[in-house]
Amino acid sequence: ECKVTENAIECDEQKFSLNDAVKVQNFNVSINTSVIELQGTDFSFIDPDFTVSSGSVELCGFVSNYSQIIVEGGNVSVCDYNGINDNGTLQINVTNFTLTSKSYILGVGTGFRGGAAGANNGEGSGGGCGSGGGNGAGAGYAGFGGFGDSGGCATLGQPYGSTNNVSARGSGGGGGVSGGGGDGGPFIFINASDTISLTGIIRAQGANSQDANNGGGAGSGGSVWLIANTLNGTGTINVR
């Protein structure tokens, strides 16, 4: 059940989907043991607080103008890239952001898509080449991707992007003879005008191939970019 009060939206044990352009103004959002999908192409909040506790929230694209976002015991997942420009990314502009211990921002294989089985290349600037006779090649990003086997393609996934402007999704691995390539990792950006407190885990990982024997190459990890006046905590950032 989701309740709309004078200044809050409260959801408990309910799936709450917003699939169009959405603007929520002067509302607090409280999520408890719920699954919330926010997939608008223009999803902005003005002056509320957003707290995720013991629930799961899937976000896409831009989340802006929040005064405070707190993830405490819950999870935020990045939606899959599906050809729409902002999908496979999570770009947060906020005053203060807190990710507590045992909380996650998860993006595993939600970036550019791997090539389908057969000689189909992975998507993205570093997409691995596909092979109709062996393993597809791994995707590149910060470095080159891995080779396929002797019956696979011989072109490595190429490096791309910049350490001064970390703003790209990971690329997909090439498809192999019997399985598709793994999808790349997402782009996660958190821009806090004041403080980021990080004791939880942020993952922007590429996915493995769909078949270890004559299958596709793995997707490359995505990217994580944090900006804040103060960054504290002992959390973990995993990009591979």
Side-chain angles (χ1 to χ4, degrees):
E1 181 180 2
C2 289
K3 298 178 180 179
V4 180
T5 62
E6 183 177 354
N7 63 354
I9 300 175
E10 299 179 358
C11 298
D12 185 48
E13 297 180 357
Q14 175 72 29
K15 184 173 181 179
F16 178 44
S17 295
L18 302 172
N19 294 311
D20 299 315
V22 174
K23 181 172 288 186
V24 179
Q25 183 169 353
N26 297 326
F27 275 83
N28 293 321
V29 182
S30 176
I31 299 163
N32 185 30
T33 61
S34 301
V35 177
I36 309 294
E37 295 182 358
L38 307 176
Q39 299 184 12
T41 56
D42 177 15
F43 195 84
S44 61
F45 300 86
I46 302 173
D47 295 331
D49 292 336
F50 184 15
T51 302
V52 181
S53 58
S54 67
S56 176
V57 181
E58 183 178 80
L59 297 177
C60 300
F62 292 88
V63 177
S64 60
N65 298 327
Y66 252 117
S67 59
Q68 183 168 246
I69 295 177
I70 302 173
V71 184
E72 49 181 4
N75 299 322
V76 173
S77 59
V78 184
C79 69
D80 290 336
Y81 176 72
N82 61 359
I84 298 174
N85 190 45
D86 291 332
N87 283 11
T89 73
L90 175 57
Q91 302 179 59
I92 296 173
N93 291 286
V94 66
T95 303
N96 295 294
F97 181 87
T98 301
L99 184 69
T100 66
S101 176
K102 299 181 181 179
S103 299
Y104 295 84
I105 297 179
L106 295 175
V108 179
T110 62
F112 285 116
R113 295 169 292 196
N120 294 290
N121 297 338
E123 295 180 344
S125 299
C129 66
S131 170
N135 289 324
Y141 184 10
F144 289 97
F147 283 111
D149 65 13
S150 59
C153 58
T155 303
L156 294 172
Q158 298 296 299
Y160 60 99
S162 169
T163 56
N164 296 321
N165 184 19
V166 184
S167 58
R169 307 172 188 87
S171 294
V177 65
S178 61
D183 299 334
F187 166 47
I188 298 172
F189 174 64
I190 303 173
N191 180 15
S193 58
D194 192 352
T195 301
I196 294 176
S197 297
L198 176 63
T199 54
I201 298 173
I202 299 176
R203 290 179 178 167
Q205 298 173 209
N208 292 329
S209 61
Q210 299 175 13
D211 187 338
N213 298 313
N214 289 326
S220 57
S223 53
V224 175
W225 187 2
L226 306 180
I227 298 176
N229 282 330
T230 302
L231 175 62
N232 58 47
T234 57
T236 301
I237 299 174
N238 191 325
V239 182
R240 60 181 177 84

